[in-house]
Amino acid sequence: ERFGLDVSFDWFDFGNALGGVTGRYEEVISTTSAAPEVAPLDWFGALEFSYVPLYGKGVLFNRVVVFWDLYTSVGPGLMSVNDEASVGATLAGGVNLYGARWFGINTEFRYRGASVDLPSGSQFRHVVTSTVGFTIFLPFNFRYTYDADGEGGQ
C-alpha cells in the first residue's frame, strides 16, 4: 500500500482551436432568437489524496518484466465555469505500467463535479474524462537498493 498527496490542474478552454462553438449552436440562436444556456468548463484544480491498494509485476512476452500499480485519488477542488470559480470535488482511478526504470504508461478515468451558478439558477456540472499518458522519472539513472535490514534506500 502507498499513500500520497497530489496537486492536479487541467485546462479546458482552448477557444476555437479544439472545436469551440459549433454550427448547431448558431443555428439554435437564429431559429429561436434565444441563446442556449451552456456552462463551458475553463479549468479545474484540486488537492488530492491518492491511494495505491494493489501493485505488482509480471512478464510480458516472456522477455520484459513489467511493474504495475492500480491507484485511486479523491479530493476537493475548484472548477471555473464562465470565468467564475466554484468549489467542487474530483474522484479518479487508473493503472500505471512501468516498462523501464524511468518510463511508464498511465491510463486514468476521472470525474469532476461542482455546483455552478447560471442565469436560470444553480446547476451541478459533471465532467468525466479518460486519459492515456506517459510517465517519466528523473533522474534516468536512479537505482533503488535495499540495506541489510531489507529497508529501501538509494
Side-chain angles (χ1 to χ4, degrees), residues 56-78:
K57 62 183 172 180
V59 178
L60 186 63
F61 304 118
N62 206 21
R63 300 186 142 234
V64 179
V65 176
V66 178
F67 296 89
W68 59 271
D69 65 33
L70 177 74
Y71 69 91
T72 185
S73 66
V74 64
L78 287 175

Side-chain angles (χ1 to χ4, degrees), residues 64-65 67 97-104 137:
V64 179
V65 176
F67 296 89
L97 300 173
Y98 307 102
R101 293 184 188 276
W102 58 271
F103 179 78
F137 296 100

Side-chain angles (χ1 to χ4, degrees), residues 78-132:
L78 287 175
M79 178 184 284
S80 175
V81 173
N82 294 329
D83 295 324
E84 291 188 23
S86 302
V87 176
T90 183
L91 173 65
V95 176
N96 291 306
L97 300 173
Y98 307 102
R101 293 184 188 276
W102 58 271
F103 179 78
I105 297 173
N106 168 269
T107 61
E108 177 181 89
F109 292 96
R110 178 174 295 274
Y111 166 82
R112 299 167 190 89
S115 179
V116 297
D117 292 324
L118 298 173
S120 65
S122 185
Q123 177 188 43
F124 203 81
R125 172 80 168 161
H126 307 274
V127 179
V128 179
T129 58
S130 61
T131 59
V132 175

Side-chain angles (χ1 to χ4, degrees), residues 30-55:
S30 65
T31 303
T32 64
S33 299
E37 190 173 57
V38 295
L41 180 60
D42 300 319
W43 54 263
F44 189 93
L47 178 66
E48 302 176 34
F49 173 73
S50 61
Y51 173 59
V52 178
L54 297 171
Y55 58 93

